Amino acid sequence: MTQDKKKIIESVNKISYGLYVITSVGNDGRINGQIGNTVFQITSTPMRVAVGINKNNYTYELIKESGLFVINILKQSQIDLVPIFGLKSGREINKFENLKYHKTAAGVPVLDDILSWMECRIVNELTVDCGTHALFVADVVDGDVITSDEPLTYKFYRDSKIKKNV
Ligand SMILES: Cc1cc2nc3c(=O)[nH]c(=O)nc-3n(C[C@H](O)[C@H](O)[C@H](O)COP(=O)(O)O)c2cc1C
């Protein structure tokens, strides 16, 4: 890799993010979730967010089917959920096996004991094909705050990854 390319990657890696579990449901009730950092609010009227999802992910498949996803905002203390939801695919394991969760009326899983959550319905005509990833723009249709705590950030994960050498 050239020095210029390395510098560009280092620079892009300085962008700040949170880390979230994005959950979804298929038309037949299959559930799954994945870690995502590409999550941001775009407008408040209407309340709209966007998420960037890799098109190879199982979660992408479910979001495409139902048009629905939930953004689960994690507490810093929930960093152990990152390898479960971010390093394995729901095509191979049941990520919810040892976790407490409930479902929204539409059937999307919401993890218990998180900081807050919001249920989102994608706006089809605003989905952008970005190559490897799709950018889903979605209306926030429901949500709640569970507790006040420090939110998990990408920086906290990176720093602890270096510390723990995971
Ligand atoms: C720190 C971290 C951040 C991630 N951010 C994203 C992201 O923004 N978008 C994405 O599609 N995948 C992201 N991933 C990768 C997915 O979480 C991962 O590929 C996951 O295993 C997909 O699971 P699934 O196939 O069950 O949907 C991230 C993973 C980690 C560890």
Side-chain angles (χ1 to χ4, degrees), residues 40-116:
F40 53 94
Q41 180 188 351
I42 293 189
T43 58
S44 38
T45 315
M47 186 61 85
R48 258 180 195 161
V49 293
V51 298
I53 303 285
N54 191 305
K55 292 190 273 180
N56 290 326
N57 291 356
Y58 185 38
T59 309
Y60 170 84
E61 198 180 308
L62 300 189
I63 295 174
K64 284 293 279 182
E65 277 182 30
S66 64
L68 294 169
F69 61 87
V70 163
I71 301 169
N72 296 260
I73 302 194
L74 303 178
K75 299 188 279 191
Q76 207 172 73
S77 57
Q78 293 178 300
I79 191 166
D80 290 346
L81 293 180
V82 176
I84 299 171
F85 282 94
L87 301 179
K88 294 168 191 162
S89 178
R91 291 192 181 96
E92 275 98 50
I93 58 154
N94 173 9
K95 300 185 185 182
F96 296 90
E97 204 170 9
N98 300 310
L99 295 174
K100 289 192 179 148
Y101 67 95
H102 63 278
K103 290 179 181 173
T104 65
V108 189
V110 179
L111 299 177
D112 288 352
D113 196 33
I114 53 175
L115 208 146
S116 72

